[in-house]
Amino acid sequence: MNLQKLKVFVDLSKTLNYTDTAENLFTTQGNISKQVMALEKELGVSLFKRAHRKIEMTQQGEFVLPYAKKILLDYNELSNKLNDFQAAKNLTIEMHTIPTMPSYQSFTLITQFLQKHPEVHMQLREEESYNLITSLKSGKCEIIFARTFDFDDPDLERIVTEKDKFVAVLPRKHSLAKSEKLTISQLKDDPFLILGKSTNLYDPVIKLCRQAHFTPKIAYEGTRVDLIMQMVQNNMGISIMMQKTAQNFDSEEFSIVPLTTNIANELCFIRVKGEHSSANNLFWKYIQTNLKVLQAK
């Protein structure tokens, strides 16, 4: 049903005058007449009596009127709610991120952005690395913060915020704990405590070991960095971990030692190329503008 017909009908029920209704709705008397007749034909009833240039509502018209008013009222309410919803959506950013984001300066950038733009709402959700790209491309989120090793996706754009590298995390009493640098092969006889296959750090660690011509003895693999650090501290093995994540744990019970061989990786914000919400674009521009300022400090 065309809502314009209902608007004409409701207005004409008030004015009972084609000229007045035409003026109210910024149209012609002829168009008002056509709209009324079309509605009568659609409903199969006569809505107005017409005699001697005067009109009055029929009983059927009186019956239809409250329903017509309710339909128009409901439609107006729906339009307003949708407008409110869209406005809120345009000021909300759904971001999925690796669990260790607080270890990186990107977290500071997000905090500063939200302080500068309190009108924007940020919905952050931790997600394992291997799921992040899938969530982004499926529309579950608008932006992800992820670690990339070999980034090559023409459908995505990214802002690299910083780089990181692997380090060895050893118990304080380990014989190599005071080394300035280590080759990963020097640790081949130790039990390895590493982040598991559900993260994107498992394969690179295995790759580093294989490049050094050995297969690591994995005593534990999981997703909780804090648990792995506690296990190292308790002398249950060694770990190969990202430097900035490891440095986030302040303890004298383990030692962080650089590796002589590494695999390059970058931390970045990533989004799908194309059109985005105003909040998304505002955040993206803010990161591009303020990243250099933060790095210079």
Side-chain angles (χ1 to χ4, degrees):
M1 179 178 291
N2 188 328
L3 291 177
Q4 186 60 27
K5 297 176 187 175
L6 293 181
K7 290 180 181 179
V8 168
F9 167 61
V10 170
D11 193 275
L12 190 57
S13 71
K14 298 175 184 177
T15 66
L16 296 177
N17 185 291
Y18 283 97
T19 300
D20 291 345
T21 290
E23 290 178 356
N24 291 341
L25 300 180
F26 305 100
T27 186
T28 64
Q29 295 182 46
N31 189 44
I32 296 298
S33 180
K34 287 179 182 178
Q35 294 276 11
V36 171
M37 287 189 288
L39 181 61
E40 289 177 328
K41 183 177 180 180
E42 184 175 345
L43 296 177
V45 296
S46 176
L47 300 172
F48 296 96
K49 295 178 182 177
R50 303 165 183 82
H52 307 293
R53 295 186 179 182
K54 293 183 179 181
I55 63 170
E56 61 181 42
M57 294 190 68
T58 63
Q59 288 185 332
Q60 293 97 323
E62 296 284 358
F63 180 82
V64 171
L65 183 60
Y67 292 97
K69 288 181 177 179
K70 186 175 186 306
I71 291 172
L72 292 174
L73 183 64
D74 288 345
Y75 179 78
N76 287 335
E77 183 178 355
L78 172 61
S79 296
N80 291 334
K81 294 292 185 182
L82 281 175
N83 288 336
D84 291 343
F85 174 80
Q86 192 60 39
K89 185 178 179 181
N90 284 336
L91 289 175
T92 300
I93 301 172
E94 180 80 23
M95 182 186 297
H96 291 191
T97 172
I98 55 176
T100 54
M101 177 193 248
S103 302
Y104 299 99
Q105 63 183 12
S106 301
F107 189 71
T108 301
L109 283 168
I110 291 175
T111 301
Q112 292 173 348
F113 170 77
L114 292 175
Q115 289 172 346
K116 185 175 179 62
H117 296 283
E119 75 278 10
V120 176
H121 304 283
M122 180 82 71
Q123 296 179 347
L124 287 173
R125 175 183 169 185
E126 288 186 2
E127 193 166 2
E128 292 303 331
S129 301
Y130 75 103
N131 271 335
L132 286 172
I133 295 294
T134 300
S135 292
L136 181 63
K137 288 189 172 183
S138 65
K140 292 181 180 179
C141 58
E142 301 170 72
I143 300 175
I144 61 173
F145 177 74
R147 185 188 310 281
T148 59
F149 288 90
D150 297 307
F151 182 82
D152 183 20
D153 193 321
D155 297 325
L156 304 177
E157 60 180 333
R158 67 173 182 162
I159 302 174
V160 177
T161 59
E162 57 194 299
K163 297 182 179 181
D164 207 351
K165 57 186 177 181
F166 287 105
V167 293
V169 183
L170 313 176
R172 182 175 61 85
K173 295 182 179 180
H174 194 283
S175 61
L176 299 173
K178 295 183 179 181
S179 303
E180 290 187 7
K181 283 189 176 183
L182 286 173
T183 64
I184 197 168
S185 59
Q186 289 178 269
L187 304 171
K188 64 181 181 180
D189 294 326
D190 287 277
F192 275 58
L193 314 167
I194 62 176
L195 291 168
K197 297 176 183 178
S198 64
T199 73
N200 68 345
L201 295 177
Y202 177 87
D203 289 338
V205 170
I206 300 301
K207 182 178 179 180
L208 278 172
C209 294
R210 288 177 177 167
Q211 286 176 346
H213 308 293
F214 76 94
T215 299
K217 301 172 183 177
I218 299 176
Y220 173 83
E221 63 176 80
T223 59
R224 288 181 53 189
V225 174
D226 60 331
L227 180 56
I228 291 176
M229 298 300 280
Q230 185 64 47
M231 294 172 74
V232 172
Q233 184 174 315
N234 291 344
N235 204 34
M236 298 173 65
I238 64 94
S239 185
I240 304 298
M241 194 171 292
M242 302 315 304
Q243 182 180 34
K244 293 180 180 179
T245 300
Q247 289 175 341
N248 200 44
F249 292 84
D250 184 16
S251 175
E252 297 181 354
E253 297 303 316
F254 50 76
S255 177
I256 300 173
V257 184
L259 295 173
T260 57
T261 303
N262 236 291
I263 297 178
N265 64 94
E266 298 169 319
L267 286 303
C268 49
F269 292 106
I270 305 174
R271 69 179 184 178
V272 176
K273 291 179 180 178
E275 295 184 3
H276 300 281
S277 69
S278 56
N280 187 313
N281 286 328
L282 186 65
F283 175 77
W284 202 257
K285 184 176 181 180
Y286 180 88
I287 298 300
Q288 290 175 321
T289 303
N290 291 275
L291 181 59
K292 292 181 180 179
V293 176
L294 184 62
Q295 289 173 337
K297 291 182 178 180

